[in-house]
Amino acid sequence: MSNILISVKNLTKQYQAEQAGGIRNVSFDIKKGDVVAIIGESGSGKSTLLKSIYGLLKTDEGEIYFEDKRVKGPDEQLIPGHKQMKMVTQDFSLNIYAKVYDNIASQLSNTDLKTKAEKTLAIMEHLRILPLQNKKIIELSGGEQQRVAIAKAMVSDTQVLLLDEPFSQVDALLKNQLRADIKRIAAETGVTVILVSHDPADGLFLADQLLILRNGELLQTGKPAEIYQQPKHIYTAQILGNAVVLARDEAEKIGLKAQKDFVVFYPEWAEIINNWSSRRYEVKDVYYKGFYEELLLERNGVNVRALQLNRAEHQKNDHVQLNISRYLEF
Ligand code: ADP
Ligand code: MG
């Protein structure tokens, strides 16, 4: 038995003929129970892809399969959307004057009230919102509301949770917690999660599978660490790790031999070494990044960036030596 839950095959959706926008010829598989993160800039087609998977959009070409059955489009059924999937959008769609408990329980039928109560309480426990059950939605913080929205989406035996920019409304501290929550909930309940984000940090942290979208095209998919280490496109290295990109002649000016047109490396692949004899790079600027700093360095008119973990060890106008241990060519 295959553990592929969703299969997207050659999917194309253009909003207007002969115009950019939408997605083009996208294919990939999703394994049951995985957390899948779709990363791309605003307008790259993330929401279009998510809505297509859910069956909300009439696509131009290609199909989506859920457990080997084709997902129907909005023109093929009375109520658009797939029964085993639920989508949580940025507006949460909660009844803000109703209680947390009632918002969630409203998804279940009244034919078996005992089961209804049990399921509602169980999902609230998973989302750690049990203590909030009698509060109204308007009394909750943004992060709490988001948990309620996820609980509401998951309570009715949902197999696939679709999250569109789930972290965009919350502050940095809460973001970390919600990311960890989503990973934990997926592991505990076996639900498959597909989330889209413009912030690569969201995907790298939690995903089993990462997809990089650019201008409606799927550039690469795979495990986050694999994509990060072996990006197939310069763009991917830039969006995931703010990579340094040098043309071949620039690379040669700092002593890197290249066969192809471009040399690409992440700042952490450039190690600053304290070698007094050959300090060839000048520190042009220092960017504070919290527990580390990024140095902007210059040699022979070429700018590169490197990480400095010991804060303030080197400062503007200092001279340092670099060991670029690894670089990619494109
Ligand atoms: P993302 O979610 O990555 O920001 P979208 O999937 O919303 O991107 O949009 C992808 C592209 O399709 C954008 O260029 C957008 O302008 C266009 N687009 C999205 N929805 C519509 C629509 N309903 N009509 C026309 N163009 C649209
Ligand atoms: Mg979007």
Side-chain angles (χ1 to χ4, degrees):
M1 210 186 90
S2 104
N3 58 352
I4 304 286
L5 185 67
I6 293 172
S7 216
V8 176
K9 294 193 194 297
N10 308 105
L11 196 69
T12 295
K13 166 73 185 172
Q14 304 289 101
Y15 290 100
Q16 278 138 342
E18 294 161 45
Q19 262 202 314
I23 46 174
R24 276 188 306 282
N25 199 22
V26 170
S27 299
F28 61 97
D29 293 331
I30 293 175
K31 283 199 281 188
K32 194 172 166 58
D34 269 3
V35 175
V36 178
I38 302 168
I39 303 290
E41 288 171 280
S42 175
S44 59
K46 304 182 298 294
S47 297
T48 302
L49 181 55
L50 210 60
K51 286 182 200 157
S52 302
I53 292 172
Y54 190 31
L56 294 187
L57 287 179
K58 183 166 162 35
T59 56
D60 301 333
E61 279 169 53
E63 287 92 33
I64 297 116
Y65 292 92
F66 178 90
E67 289 181 331
D68 297 327
K69 281 182 76 179
R70 195 175 63 81
V71 174
K72 289 184 176 145
D75 51 333
E76 295 172 271
Q77 50 188 357
L78 231 47
I79 304 164
H82 192 281
K83 278 206 179 66
Q84 267 87 50
M85 304 189 210
K86 282 277 154 52
M87 179 134 83
V88 179
T89 51
Q90 286 170 35
D91 63 14
F92 303 148
S93 313
L94 298 169
N95 179 352
I96 58 168
Y97 301 110
K99 287 179 181 173
V100 168
Y101 180 95
D102 295 325
N103 263 278
I104 299 165
S106 70
Q107 299 301 297
L108 300 171
S109 87
N110 284 325
T111 47
D112 183 350
L113 291 175
K114 186 161 167 280
T115 305
K116 180 172 179 163
E118 279 170 7
K119 282 189 173 174
T120 305
L121 292 172
I123 198 69
M124 287 173 63
E125 177 129 40
H126 267 307
L127 271 295
R128 297 179 176 163
I129 49 173
L130 214 43
L132 305 177
Q133 60 175 304
N134 290 316
K135 285 200 172 185
K136 289 181 183 158
I137 302 299
I138 39 167
E139 298 168 336
L140 304 182
S141 71
E144 289 168 340
Q145 288 188 20
Q146 179 161 48
R147 280 166 202 239
V148 177
I150 292 175
K152 184 182 168 190
M154 284 186 64
V155 72
S156 50
D157 297 324
T158 301
Q159 286 202 49
V160 181
L161 191 60
L162 305 163
L163 304 172
D164 197 345
E165 304 273 2
F167 309 117
S168 63
Q169 309 278 25
V170 295
D171 56 45
L173 203 66
L174 194 62
K175 226 185 200 189
N176 287 330
Q177 211 184 343
L178 285 170
R179 283 178 195 146
D181 276 349
I182 288 172
K183 198 168 170 80
R184 176 180 55 79
I185 291 157
E188 281 177 10
T189 64
V191 71
T192 302
V193 179
I194 310 174
L195 68 91
V196 311
S197 174
H198 65 276
D199 181 358
D202 297 341
L204 283 177
F205 177 77
L206 61 78
D208 299 299
Q209 183 183 0
L210 191 62
L211 287 97
I212 310 291
L213 270 191
R214 183 183 59 179
N215 295 335
E217 274 180 72
L218 176 59
L219 289 188
Q220 193 169 358
T221 181
K223 289 193 167 56
E226 282 170 17
I227 297 185
Y228 187 87
Q229 295 295 326
Q230 298 291 346
K232 286 186 187 157
H233 298 262
I234 294 175
Y235 176 82
T236 303
Q238 287 175 308
I239 193 172
L240 292 185
N242 191 19
V244 175
V245 180
L246 302 174
R248 181 165 47 188
D249 62 317
E250 291 179 305
E252 278 164 5
K253 282 185 193 161
I254 60 164
L256 299 178
K257 297 262 171 292
Q259 316 290 324
K260 298 186 186 168
D261 293 341
F262 292 98
V263 161
V264 172
F265 59 88
Y266 295 114
E268 73 269 20
W269 291 356
E271 185 196 1
I272 297 163
I273 32 186
N274 286 312
N275 175 348
W276 288 91
S277 63
S278 57
R279 298 192 154 185
R280 296 200 192 93
Y281 289 83
E282 184 181 343
V283 180
K284 297 300 242 185
D285 216 338
V286 178
Y287 306 114
Y288 181 69
K289 300 273 184 177
F291 70 92
Y292 70 95
E293 289 164 336
E294 195 169 88
L295 302 185
L296 178 66
L297 304 166
E298 193 249 30
R299 176 180 165 190
N300 294 335
V302 178
N303 287 324
V304 300
R305 283 172 284 112
L307 297 194
Q308 166 159 280
L309 292 174
N310 299 327
R311 267 195 14 230
E313 185 176 6
H314 299 289
Q315 296 173 10
K316 203 168 167 173
N317 302 324
D318 279 1
H319 284 77
V320 299
Q321 178 59 358
L322 266 196
N323 174 31
I324 299 166
S325 58
R326 186 176 164 215
Y327 55 90
L328 306 167
E329 291 189 43
F330 290 88

